[in-house]
Amino acid sequence: MPKHKRTSPLARSRRGRLAAATATAAALTGGLLTLTATTATAAPAAATQPDDADFNGDGVADLATSAPHANVGGKDKAGQVVVTYGGAEQRHVTYSQNSAGVPGSAETRDYFGGDTAYGDFDGDGYDDLAVGAPGEDVGSDTDGGTVQVLWGSPGGLSGGSTIKDPRPTKHDNFGGPIQAGDFDGDGKDDLAVGAASGAATIDVLDGGISRSGATGGRYTVLPPIHSGEGAGPFNLHSGDVNGDGKDDLIVNGYSTGDDYNANLWLPGSANGVTTSGVQRLPAGIITDVGDTDSDGYGDVIIGLDWDEGIDGANKGGTVYVVKGNANGPYGDSQAFTQDTAGIPGGSEKGDFFGSELDLGDINGDGHLDLVASSPGEDLNGVTDAGSLTVIYGAADGSGLSTAGAALYSQDTPGVPNANEKSDFFGSDVHVDDLNADGRGDVAVGAMGENGLNGAVYILDALPDGSLAGTSGVYTSTVGISSSGTPRLGVGFAD
């Protein structure tokens, strides 16, 4: 079983960090920094700006934010999701299992919103939102877990359908990590679902999902990671790394080869996700995929936020960029720390640089930029205030460059509120063009704000690529109870 368990003071957020839904800390292990080559051939497929969610089909991006510890109707940690509908006048709508049309009912420790993913699952032209409730009790299956799909429509998300655990009675937190992608290239969004406290098996719902909950098909993938409580897949992410027009799946877990934390690249194929040709990447739970150097191949961004005890770790945390090519993620690599020349600030133990990250075109120049958070950053004597760093894509499209990199905290002019102890500003970050001006705005979670009530700050991208906001989104703004520790902003859907 896994070696060298390490504990972070942060409740790990979405994208597979199920501890955000089940505990205030996550036990993580180190991993070997290795890459294994395979052979494949593929023609490049151009990709620049990642897709934004659009639940109401108005052509403007929408944002889904989790508060998985929210108290709903007196049920502690039942969980809620807040959707910000983009536009000139943004509006916020809060959903729970007590909302009209959403299946089930809010129950204690369901952790509705423990992970979320979006895609047009029924092919009607509106994005839908898949919401994991990994603590859901299903009959006698305590913490069996479930996934609810909330359906897009001209009025936004409305109604929902249940995706049932295919292995009931296992108490396995089905719906922990979830991720959408077109893994077989048929033009239909598929949904990959893991069970964070059970088998390493990942279920892929293939060929779309109907409003009855039926799927075009279902198959399983068994990556070489450990099963069992505290194991299973921690994170899932998708993107086309080898340029063949099919999304690949990045799976994070404890490798069965050596018990260390590992990211595994599982290629997509005409038959969907396959373990044939699997490649091992640097460790680090959080990942993203995007074409940072405009060569037609997706690059894998990895946040390795540990200070030590793992190959590739550096004090304060590290972000790795593993370049894609026709063989998969086996191109050149970049590494950034807060001690890298041009990156503002400095590396300090417990910063958790790279704890969360997201790609998007912030300055509107057609090249991807990277936002990497440091939610454990201490600033001017304020412990765990948190910060984020923007690393821009080079103007010539050659990749991410430290030129002009900028650091933002709540004491930065133009950023709402102020640095406070244990705000964890940067508990998650997401880039979306929420005002349809052609530039990616940055949503920042601060799950520790106001005693773990949490908050979200939407920073508009200005013409020069800088960021500024006017106000925050708080639990009181969106009708979430302040009872308990809701942790609004612990995760965003992608």
Side-chain angles (χ1 to χ4, degrees):
M1 286 302 294
K3 306 170 183 176
H4 310 309
K5 284 193 174 183
R6 299 179 52 73
T7 302
S8 161
L10 297 173
R12 297 301 188 180
S13 64
R14 52 151 309 283
R15 289 187 283 189
R17 295 188 175 192
L18 182 63
T22 57
T24 59
L28 308 173
T29 62
L32 300 177
L33 182 60
T34 59
L35 292 170
T36 304
T38 62
T39 58
T41 58
T48 53
Q49 178 71 36
D51 291 335
D52 292 337
D54 185 2
F55 302 121
N56 57 7
D58 65 354
V60 183
D62 305 318
L63 175 73
T65 307
S66 291
H69 284 231
N71 185 301
V72 181
K75 305 295 184 181
D76 188 42
K77 299 178 177 63
Q80 290 176 291
V81 173
V82 177
V83 173
T84 299
Y85 291 96
E89 295 184 5
Q90 295 169 10
R91 63 186 179 96
H92 312 286
V93 180
T94 301
Y95 301 85
S96 76
Q97 287 185 285
N98 281 356
S99 297
V102 178
S105 59
E107 299 169 319
T108 300
R109 296 182 182 273
D110 277 350
Y111 302 109
F112 181 78
D115 201 5
T116 50
Y118 62 80
D120 183 5
F121 300 117
D122 62 353
D124 66 352
Y126 300 93
D127 279 328
D128 313 304
L129 182 67
V131 183
E136 178 92 19
D137 295 343
V138 183
S140 61
D141 187 10
T142 303
D143 295 333
T146 191
V147 176
Q148 310 285 3
V149 178
L150 309 186
W151 300 107
S153 74
L157 296 178
S158 177
S161 302
T162 299
I163 305 297
K164 295 181 179 179
D165 183 355
R167 287 171 295 279
T169 76
K170 298 296 184 181
H171 317 300
D172 58 359
N173 299 119
F174 178 77
I178 58 178
Q179 180 67 30
D182 182 6
F183 302 114
D184 55 7
D186 66 355
K188 299 177 181 179
D189 285 330
D190 310 317
L191 183 66
V193 184
S197 294
T201 302
I202 295 168
D203 292 280
V204 180
L205 311 179
D206 181 36
I209 302 170
S210 74
R211 298 200 175 203
S212 69
T215 65
R218 183 194 295 259
Y219 62 92
T220 59
V221 180
L222 186 61
I225 60 173
H226 279 292
S227 299
E229 185 176 358
F234 298 138
N235 181 42
L236 303 175
H237 202 85
S238 63
D240 185 6
V241 178
N242 59 6
D244 66 353
K246 305 172 184 64
D247 283 329
D248 312 312
L249 187 65
I250 311 295
V251 179
N252 181 269
Y254 296 135
S255 170
T256 55
D258 56 17
D259 301 339
Y260 287 94
N261 180 274
N263 283 300
L264 303 173
W265 175 74
L266 278 61
S269 73
N271 295 317
V273 179
T274 175
T275 56
S276 176
V278 60
Q279 293 186 28
R280 183 167 179 170
L281 310 175
I285 299 255
I286 291 302
T287 59
D288 199 3
V289 177
D291 184 4
T292 64
D293 54 6
S294 304
D295 66 353
Y297 301 103
D299 309 315
V300 183
I301 318 298
I302 299 171
L304 200 172
D305 63 6
W306 306 311
D307 295 295
E308 58 188 359
I310 170 176
D311 274 4
N314 295 283
K315 182 175 68 173
T318 311
V319 171
Y320 286 97
V321 181
V322 181
K323 300 295 186 67
N325 63 26
N327 297 320
Y330 201 63
D332 295 334
S333 295
Q334 292 176 281
F336 299 99
T337 73
Q338 289 183 291
D339 285 338
T340 299
I343 299 294
S347 296
E348 299 168 320
K349 190 172 182 179
D351 281 348
F352 298 102
F353 176 69
S355 178
E356 294 293 344
L357 45 83
D358 201 36
L359 290 164
D361 183 4
I362 294 171
N363 55 12
D365 67 353
H367 305 301
L368 290 181
D369 310 309
L370 174 67
V371 179
S373 74
S374 304
E377 184 97 48
D378 297 345
L379 295 166
N380 299 320
V382 181
T383 304
D384 295 332
S387 69
L388 62 87
T389 301
V390 179
I391 304 173
Y392 295 94
D396 62 2
S398 60
L400 296 173
S401 168
T402 60
L407 184 144
Y408 293 85
S409 75
Q410 288 185 282
D411 278 350
T412 301
V415 177
N417 215 321
N419 291 339
E420 298 169 313
K421 182 179 179 181
S422 299
D423 273 354
F424 300 120
F425 182 76
S427 54
D428 201 3
V429 292
H430 203 266
V431 183
D432 289 289
D433 185 4
L434 294 170
N435 55 14
D437 64 358
R439 297 184 297 271
D441 309 308
V442 179
V444 188
M447 71 163 195
E449 190 78 57
N450 299 326
L452 288 174
N453 275 349
V456 174
Y457 299 95
I458 297 175
L459 307 181
D460 293 336
L462 305 181
D464 64 356
S466 63
L467 302 173
T470 57
S471 61
V473 179
Y474 303 98
T475 53
S476 58
T477 309
V478 294
I480 292 177
S481 171
S482 61
S483 177
T485 56
R487 302 183 188 183
L488 176 66
V490 77
F492 300 119
D494 70 358

